[in-house]
Amino acid sequence: MLFNRPAQTQQQTIFETPATLGEYLSAERASSFEESDTRRLVKYLNLPTTGEKLSKEQAQEAINNAGVSINNVPDNLTSDMLASIIQRQKYLDDLNRTKQRRPDGYVSYALGTGAMLGPQIVDPIGMALNFVPLVGTARYANMVGKSTTMLGRTATRFGLSGAEAAGANLLVEPARYAMANALGDDYTAYDTFMNTAFGFGFGGTLGAGAGAIGDAFGAKFGGVASPVPREELNKIK
């Protein structure tokens, strides 16, 4: 059965034995949840401020003794704050080790991708960023209204909605980096790229999908995301 642990040979250690599909999917989902915007914000706001204030050297020594890796040690750490950060990093390390033991096969890879995307799609902050209007309502509707076919309107909505979502994600990247750094997470330019690319793809899909549904039901608007009556569009053409 898929969810049964594969047999472990005498030569294999727990880190070499493939995880079960259930263990792997659970690790992908939990890791993605821990790295979502809302989860990071909650963890950041709940970092304890009590305890003895630590110097950079003291903090680094404690990190080394705990056996975790933190590339950018946060400033102004207290002992309780560092203990919370170390506990989080140990948990993330455990999840990553399980993810590295992914069962072989395309099925596990496909299901793992879905498990990873799930928490990001339903993340409240990430979801809200897909609806930040960076293009004026009338201009958005006018650009969509210039297309005479459903395919053309869908493509225009995808591009505009995707660009708005990508732009909104870029605007909050400094805050994302600050929170990740405060929690000891490794946050690089690759994370920024992936967040922006995901925002473009997901935001574009939402905008195009909602507009296509509106077209299918015969909506009398230039675009579902920016509903402007046709007579108003004619005034600005």
Side-chain angles (χ1 to χ4, degrees):
M1 292 179 64
L2 287 175
F3 288 86
N4 285 341
R5 179 180 296 281
Q8 180 174 331
T9 66
Q10 187 174 3
Q11 290 77 22
Q12 287 178 317
T13 68
I14 185 62
F15 301 112
E16 297 170 332
T17 306
T20 67
L21 182 60
E23 290 171 336
Y24 166 66
L25 296 180
S26 179
E28 283 283 10
R29 182 173 59 251
S31 178
S32 180
F33 171 71
E34 288 295 330
E35 294 175 351
S36 65
D37 292 330
T38 302
R39 179 61 172 173
R40 273 197 175 122
L41 178 60
V42 170
K43 296 292 289 185
Y44 173 75
L45 293 177
N46 285 280
L47 279 175
T49 57
T50 56
E52 176 188 357
K53 188 172 181 178
L54 303 175
S55 65
K56 279 271 190 179
E57 293 73 20
Q58 290 174 316
Q60 188 62 64
E61 182 181 0
I63 291 169
N64 294 338
N65 292 337
V68 296
S69 176
I70 298 178
N71 292 330
N72 299 311
V73 179
D75 295 318
N76 302 317
L77 286 174
T78 66
S79 56
D80 292 343
M81 187 184 300
L82 182 58
S84 178
I85 291 173
I86 288 175
Q87 182 181 30
R88 171 182 168 81
Q89 293 306 314
K90 284 184 174 181
Y91 177 55
L92 292 176
D93 285 348
D94 287 342
L95 294 176
N96 286 331
R97 280 192 288 267
T98 301
K99 287 161 55 177
Q100 290 170 2
R101 297 189 292 117
R102 176 177 64 86
D104 293 331
Y106 293 108
V107 173
S108 64
Y109 179 80
L111 292 177
T113 301
M116 175 190 66
L117 291 176
Q120 300 296 324
I121 291 175
V122 301
D123 176 50
I125 294 178
M127 179 67 72
L129 291 174
N130 293 306
F131 299 99
V132 177
L134 300 182
V135 178
T137 302
R139 178 176 294 181
Y140 183 106
N142 187 35
M143 294 174 71
V144 173
K146 288 180 179 179
S147 300
T148 58
T149 65
M150 179 181 290
L151 180 61
R153 289 191 295 273
T154 298
T156 302
R157 289 184 181 111
F158 180 88
L160 290 174
S161 299
E164 286 185 327
N169 274 275
L170 281 175
L171 288 175
V172 301
E173 276 303 301
R176 281 175 170 155
Y177 176 79
M179 286 193 300
N181 188 64
L183 294 171
D185 295 350
D186 189 18
Y187 199 90
T188 66
Y190 175 78
D191 296 287
T192 297
F193 170 77
M194 291 302 296
N195 285 330
T196 306
F198 179 77
F200 181 86
F202 187 57
T205 301
L206 286 178
I213 292 173
D215 283 348
F217 280 93
K220 297 179 180 180
F221 298 101
V224 170
S226 300
V228 177
R230 179 67 63 181
E231 55 269 20
E232 293 298 322
L233 290 177
N234 293 332
K235 296 178 183 179
I236 60 178
K237 285 183 179 179

